[in-house]
Amino acid sequence: MKRSGRLVLVSNRGPYRLSLTRGGVKAERTVGGLVTSLLPLMEKTGGIWIAWGDPAGRYALPVRHPRFELRHLPLTSEEVRLFYLGFSNNALWPLCHYFLGRVRYDRAEWEMYEQVNQRFAQAVLEEAGDEDAIWVHDYHLARVPLFLRRQRPKARILFFWHIPFPAVDVFRTLPWRRPILEGLLACDLLGFHIPEYARNFIETVEELLGARADGETVHYAGRATRVLARPIGIDFAAVDRVARSRRTEQRVQKLRETLGPGALIVGVERLDYTKGIIERLRGVEHLLDHEPEWRGRFSLIQIVTPSRLDVEAYRQKKREIDEIVGRINGRFSDGLWIPIRYLHRAFPSSELVAYYRTADIALVTPLRDGLNLVAKEYVAARIHEDGVLILSEFAGVAYQLPEALITNPYSAEEMAAALKQALQMPKPEQRRRMKAMRDRLRAEDIWWWAAEFLEGFER
Ligand code: F6P
C-alpha cells in the first residue's frame, strides 16, 4: 500500500489484553468487529495503534513476530464509568442502534467524553508526524478529529464510524449533537459501512448544522470532508486457509460425531441487546411449537461472548437469555435431543471457524447492527460452497449479501419460516447463493477496504 508516512490508528478498544509476566508480555486477543478487521491490517501495514489499555506504555506486537507498535492509554475507573460505560455505551450506542428507550443523556458523562477524547488526541499529537495518516475509529472518539485539527490544521485525518448512523430525527435527540457532528467534520475522509448511514449523516449535518453537501463532499466551516460508504472486510484468505487446515478438519469430524445426525445451526455474538438473541430463540421456539415434525431434527449452538457486563442493561439481557434457553430446552428436550446448546464464553477464532464449517446454517439476526462480521466469517469458512446464511434485514451486511435469506427478526413467525426454508434448501440452491457471496467477500476483503480509504485519501 502506498503511503508517504506511517499509519497512526486510534481506537478505544485495542487488539490485545496485555499482562506483564516474568518472561515479558502475555497478549490475549480481544473480541469485536473492529479488532477482527483492523488487526490483520496493522499486522500488514505496520505503524502505531493507540488504544485504551493497561499497563501504560508502548509494546511491539504480535509478541512473537512484532509488526506494529501498540501504545496503551490507561483510563481511570471514573473515566471508564463515565466515558466508556456512560456516554459511549449508555448514550451513543443505543441512540445509533435506534434503541431510544435505552438512551440515557447525562452531562457529567458528556464532559468526561470530551476529556477522554482530548487525552486520545494528545497521545496522537505525541506520536504522529506531519506525513503520517491518522485514522481514528468509532463512536467513542468522535471529538478527536476536531481536537487534532485545532493543533494541526494540515494533519491528514481519516475517521471510520463502525456502527449504524441513524436517521436525523433520531440523532437530533442527542443534546450534544452539534459538537459530535462538528468533531466528525474536522476530518478529511469520513467512512461508514453502507450508503444508508452516509446518507443519514449527510442529511443530519445539512439539517442540524446547515452544512452544504455536494455529492459525497460536505462543506462546513470553511473545510471539505469527503463521506464514503464501504463495508469493512475481513481477511477472507486467512479464514479460508484456517477452514481448510487439517486441524480444523479433525475438529469438524469430532464436532459432527458429538453433535449427532441432525442439522446444525450456529449463532455467535457478543452479549448485546442489539443482537436479537432472545428474538432468535423465540423464532426457534415458534418452529418447534407450530411444526412439531421438526423436533429432534436440528439443534442450535448459541455462542454468546460476555461483553460490557458493568452496564446493567447487559446483565439484564444475560438473565433473560438464561431464562429463555432453560424454558425452550425444558419444553422440548426429549432426554437424548436438546434443541439449544448455549455457550457463554469467548472462543479462539480457530475454534469458531470449526463451528462455522460444521454448521449447515448460520443465524445472524440482530435487531440492528452496523455491519456484522460473523456473517462474513461464516461465508469465508464454507469452503465447500454449501450452507445457508440467514440474515436480519437490519444488519448492515444484508446490503452486501443479498443472496442470504433475509428476514425480520422482530417476527418469530418470519424467523421460523426462514429457518424452515434453510433446513429444506436443496444443495444446488445453497451453492448458487454461497458461491456468489464468497466471490464478493473474497474481492471486497480487508485489503480492498483499506485501499479504498488509504489510497483514495492519498489522491
Ligand atoms: O465492532 C463494533 C463494536 O462496537 C466496536 O466498536 C467495539 O470495539 C466492539 O464492537 C466491541 O465492544 P467493546 O469495545 O465495548 O467491547
Side-chain angles (χ1 to χ4, degrees):
M1 213 161 293
K2 268 205 216 131
R3 289 179 294 113
S4 36
R6 287 193 307 178
L7 178 59
V8 179
L9 197 134
V10 195
S11 68
N12 176 64
R13 177 64 60 201
Y16 296 106
R17 206 163 288 114
L18 298 181
S19 41
L20 298 182
T21 60
R22 272 205 216 133
V25 181
K26 188 170 153 248
E28 214 184 311
R29 272 278 308 273
T30 53
V31 295
L34 180 147
V35 166
T36 303
S37 286
L38 297 185
L39 182 57
L41 178 67
M42 281 306 272
E43 285 178 352
K44 188 152 167 181
T45 60
I48 180 160
W49 188 335
I50 301 171
W52 164 32
D54 289 307
R58 271 194 204 76
Y59 305 89
L61 286 160
V63 176
R64 285 213 199 124
H65 307 284
R67 303 300 304 270
F68 67 92
E69 256 188 304
L70 174 65
R71 171 160 170 193
H72 260 177
L73 203 73
L75 298 181
T76 65
S77 54
E78 193 68 350
E79 286 171 333
V80 172
R81 190 169 68 78
L82 299 172
F83 152 75
Y84 170 70
L85 301 170
F87 194 73
S88 300
N89 287 320
N90 261 328
L92 290 178
W93 178 268
L95 171 72
C96 292
H97 287 83
Y98 290 81
F99 282 84
L100 274 182
R102 289 184 185 266
V103 157
R104 190 188 61 205
Y105 297 137
D106 177 300
R107 171 158 291 278
E109 291 178 356
W110 160 248
E111 283 167 3
M112 188 61 93
Y113 183 88
E114 277 282 87
Q115 272 182 43
V116 173
N117 272 242
Q118 249 152 359
R119 285 192 53 200
F120 270 93
Q122 188 50 43
V124 175
L125 292 169
E126 286 160 17
E127 303 295 342
D130 289 342
E131 287 302 301
D132 292 344
I134 302 166
W135 200 351
V136 186
H137 288 264
D138 230 357
Y139 61 101
H140 316 84
L141 301 178
R143 297 282 290 158
V144 169
L146 186 68
F147 295 142
L148 293 174
R149 185 66 70 205
R150 283 183 186 152
Q151 300 294 320
R152 295 231 190 124
K154 295 223 166 94
R156 296 135 41 80
I157 311 171
L158 299 89
F159 192 104
F160 192 82
W161 186 266
H162 288 256
I163 63 175
F165 199 92
V168 55
D169 267 350
V170 171
F171 195 79
R172 73 186 326 143
T173 64
L174 177 67
W176 302 282
R177 60 204 193 185
R178 214 182 160 87
I180 291 286
L181 297 171
E182 287 179 338
L184 294 171
L185 283 180
C187 72
D188 302 294
L189 178 56
L190 171 58
F192 295 95
H193 287 301
I194 61 172
E196 177 193 323
Y197 308 157
R199 253 188 337 262
N200 286 345
F201 176 80
I202 290 178
E203 265 171 42
T204 302
V205 293
E206 282 181 322
E207 197 166 321
L208 302 182
L209 296 184
R212 187 174 61 79
D214 175 8
E216 54 183 30
T217 305
V218 174
H219 300 269
Y220 180 71
R223 298 197 62 266
T225 302
R226 205 175 139 217
V227 178
L228 195 64
R230 297 285 185 276
I232 200 167
I234 57 167
D235 187 350
F236 186 96
V239 177
D240 180 277
R241 206 164 39 241
V242 173
R244 288 176 202 275
S245 71
R246 252 223 347 236
R247 238 182 101 202
T248 303
E249 187 64 50
Q250 286 164 350
R251 189 72 189 123
V252 170
Q253 295 305 333
K254 188 92 198 137
L255 284 171
R256 285 220 179 96
E257 283 162 27
T258 321
L259 297 169
L264 182 68
I265 305 172
V266 71
V268 179
E269 23 266 317
R270 278 188 312 103
L271 196 164
D272 200 304
Y273 52 83
T274 58
K275 300 289 183 187
I277 301 170
I278 298 283
E279 288 73 7
R280 160 184 321 171
L281 296 172
R282 287 206 187 107
V284 172
E285 187 174 31
H286 189 95
L287 183 62
L288 295 173
D289 235 345
H290 290 80
E291 306 200 32
E293 63 274 23
W294 285 104
R295 294 179 195 170
R297 290 170 61 191
F298 69 85
S299 56
L300 167 67
I301 295 227
Q302 178 63 58
I303 295 176
V304 178
T305 312
S307 177
R308 304 178 195 168
L309 286 169
D310 292 331
V311 181
E312 173 52 26
Y314 287 72
R315 289 200 297 271
Q316 167 70 23
K317 198 40 75 182
K318 159 113 187 17
R319 290 192 288 271
E320 282 173 39
I321 297 170
D322 292 350
E323 197 182 304
I324 189 170
V325 169
R327 184 181 79 211
I328 297 175
N329 281 344
R331 285 187 66 198
F332 299 107
S333 298
D334 66 3
L336 286 176
W337 172 71
I338 309 170
I340 297 162
R341 293 162 193 257
Y342 167 43
L343 311 172
H344 181 242
R345 57 181 183 273
F347 283 85
S349 53
S350 57
E351 180 69 358
L352 292 180
V353 170
Y355 277 107
Y356 297 145
R357 255 208 61 184
T358 314
D360 308 280
I361 298 168
L363 268 174
V364 180
T365 53
L367 301 178
R368 189 71 64 167
D369 207 339
L371 190 69
N372 194 290
L373 296 183
V374 168
K376 293 193 169 190
E377 290 183 336
Y378 177 71
V379 169
R382 302 305 299 175
I383 52 174
H384 300 302
E385 300 192 331
D386 59 353
V388 185
L389 175 62
I390 302 182
L391 272 188
S392 156
E393 63 185 280
F394 305 109
V397 74
Y399 163 84
Q400 202 181 10
L401 297 177
E403 298 83 2
L405 292 186
I406 311 285
T407 185
N408 176 359
Y410 287 92
S411 159
E413 231 169 281
E414 279 189 37
M415 294 266 279
L419 258 180
K420 206 171 113 180
Q421 189 185 346
L423 287 162
Q424 294 174 318
M425 189 182 286
K427 284 274 177 188
E429 183 179 349
Q430 291 185 21
R431 292 220 165 81
R432 186 173 48 72
R433 291 172 184 259
M434 189 54 78
K435 183 171 181 330
M437 294 194 281
R438 285 178 63 81
D439 288 348
R440 192 164 317 110
L441 295 188
R442 194 182 286 112
E444 297 179 356
D445 64 0
I446 182 65
W447 319 117
W448 162 83
W449 177 84
E452 288 289 301
F453 283 96
L454 292 172
E455 286 170 15
F457 179 64
E458 296 303 330
R459 279 199 299 274

